[in-house]
Amino acid sequence: HAGLVGIAGLAPHEIFYLLDEAEQWVELNRGAEKRRELLRGLTIINAFFENSTRTLLSFEIAGKRLGADVVNMAVATSSVKKGETLIDTAMTLNAMQADAIVIRHGSSGAVQLIAGKVGCPVLNAGDGQHEHPTQALLDALTIRHAKRHFNGLRVTICGDILHSRVARSNILCLVSLGAEVRVCAPPALMPDAIEQMGVRVFHDFPAALKGADVVMMLRLQMERMEGQFIPSPREYRHLYGLSLDRLALAEPDALVMHPGPMNRGIEIESNVADLVGRSQITTQVEMGVAMRMACLDVLTRRARKVEGWA
Ligand code: CP
């Protein structure tokens, strides 16, 4: 039951295949009639054990636009609150004959665990500090729309790299596609030995910005910093916040990206987040729906007895 647990499991040609597949859905979503019946009769369950706005809504919209029945499990009012384990919850969803399960969970590895227990494809919507593969795919689609290629593209990812599954998946994806990836964070928020992922490490933000084609900003994940170093928002903004002055160090046409949710005035100034022609933040959300449509289509093909996935 091939699912999508991480970018780590994808070859470059598979990433390009998903990007290409998403293009038709970008077109469809921009038109007046947004619905197809490709997944008619299929049941997709979204089980989000952590909060989400973009990922949950876009998976729901994606499934519905393809004609599937989409059910969102309400974790806050579920029997998880009565002590039911993750595996028992997954087995319960499986017994309801789901055709795909989309999971977000606070524990790294939780999605892989469930993928091994159920009889349908499982899509990772973010697991702990591990991976958020559809975010990386939608970011790649956004970059390709603006820049047309990845080879040698200088992408600077700045923020709380240590806790960020978005950073991990983006590094894996962009390095695999041939980009030059730079990561920038205070030393306490940089994972050990991250160079082994094929990135250049910076602690000085202006140096990391010099000549960048894409600047991807991440928020401080305070909820994952219990008992750890917590920088003061004022100090962090001073050293690592993206202002117009700092953006001027990057290429004149550098893209500004942020996966959301943003903390305006901390990692990114409002006038940068809203910079017309440069900020891709709402485009990323648009591409998210198309990319999730592509993933749901491609990953349910085996169940639908349709050819076409590697
Ligand atoms: N980018 C992202 O994953 O946003 P949500 O947490 O709102 O889904």
Side-chain angles (χ1 to χ4, degrees):
H1 309 286
L4 180 61
V5 173
I7 297 293
L10 297 178
H13 76 271
E14 292 173 316
I15 297 173
F16 278 119
Y17 182 75
L18 289 169
L19 296 179
D20 292 344
E21 283 293 302
E23 295 296 352
Q24 65 191 301
W25 308 125
V26 175
E27 286 306 308
L28 182 84
N29 291 338
R30 287 179 179 172
E33 172 54 60
K34 298 181 175 61
R35 197 177 156 100
R36 288 281 184 280
E37 297 299 325
L38 210 60
L39 304 190
R40 199 154 75 98
L42 265 53
T43 301
I44 297 169
I45 300 181
N46 292 325
F48 279 54
F49 296 82
E50 276 190 336
N51 294 349
S52 171
T53 297
R54 282 148 286 267
T55 313
L56 175 59
L57 273 173
S58 62
F59 263 115
E60 181 174 2
I61 291 170
K64 286 181 172 165
R65 288 207 178 145
L66 292 175
D69 297 313
V70 182
V71 183
N72 293 335
M73 179 180 160
V75 172
T77 53
S78 74
S79 289
V80 170
K81 300 292 169 195
K82 301 175 193 165
E84 190 162 41
T85 66
L86 178 61
I87 291 178
D88 283 335
T89 303
M91 300 299 278
T92 302
L93 303 184
N94 190 50
M96 292 175 183
Q97 312 285 358
D99 296 293
I101 300 177
V102 182
I103 298 177
R104 170 169 287 193
H105 199 279
S107 299
S108 309
V111 177
Q112 178 79 65
L113 186 74
I114 291 176
K117 301 276 177 197
V118 300
C120 67
V122 173
L123 288 85
N124 185 357
D127 64 327
Q129 294 164 217
H130 174 228
E131 279 225 43
H132 191 352
T134 57
Q135 179 70 46
L137 292 166
L138 76 87
D139 287 339
L141 188 62
T142 306
I143 293 171
R144 193 172 72 168
H145 268 236
K147 297 285 180 193
R148 298 279 141 214
H149 72 100
F150 298 97
N151 239 346
L153 207 68
R154 284 162 296 203
V155 182
T156 298
I157 306 176
C158 179
D160 182 358
I161 308 290
L162 180 67
H163 298 106
S164 178
R165 56 199 179 204
V166 173
R168 263 187 72 78
S169 288
N170 260 303
I171 291 167
L172 289 164
C173 185
L174 291 166
V175 168
S176 166
L177 298 180
E180 177 199 309
V181 180
R182 307 165 175 183
V183 290
C184 180
L189 297 179
M190 187 71 82
D192 290 336
I194 193 166
E195 297 89 340
Q196 288 171 13
M197 294 184 79
V199 297
R200 289 179 62 195
V201 174
F202 293 78
H203 300 298
D204 178 51
F205 191 28
L209 284 169
K210 215 168 161 220
D213 300 298
V214 178
V215 183
M216 196 181 284
M217 300 304 294
L218 303 172
R219 76 184 171 93
L220 294 170
Q221 299 198 30
M222 299 294 191
E223 72 274 23
R224 301 192 208 277
M225 288 189 201
E226 222 170 294
Q228 289 178 325
F229 160 81
I230 299 186
S232 88
R234 248 183 71 190
E235 188 185 21
Y236 185 83
R237 174 193 191 183
H238 177 65
L239 291 171
Y240 295 101
L242 186 61
S243 60
L244 284 176
D245 284 350
R246 289 225 166 108
L247 182 61
L249 299 168
E251 288 296 294
D253 58 351
L255 305 179
V256 174
M257 298 177 70
H258 194 306
M262 277 187 281
N263 290 130
R264 289 172 182 257
I266 301 181
E267 75 272 13
I268 190 165
E269 296 300 312
S270 261
N271 55 7
V272 179
D274 301 331
L275 196 58
V276 176
R278 302 282 293 281
S279 173
Q280 303 295 307
I281 295 166
T282 53
T283 306
Q284 288 171 266
V285 177
E286 181 192 5
M287 295 301 146
V289 178
M291 183 44 77
R292 285 160 184 141
M293 289 170 82
C295 290
L296 290 173
D297 165 24
V298 167
L299 294 171
T300 57
R301 281 185 190 165
R302 195 177 294 175
R304 290 184 285 130
K305 301 190 178 8
V306 175
E307 300 271 315
W309 177 229

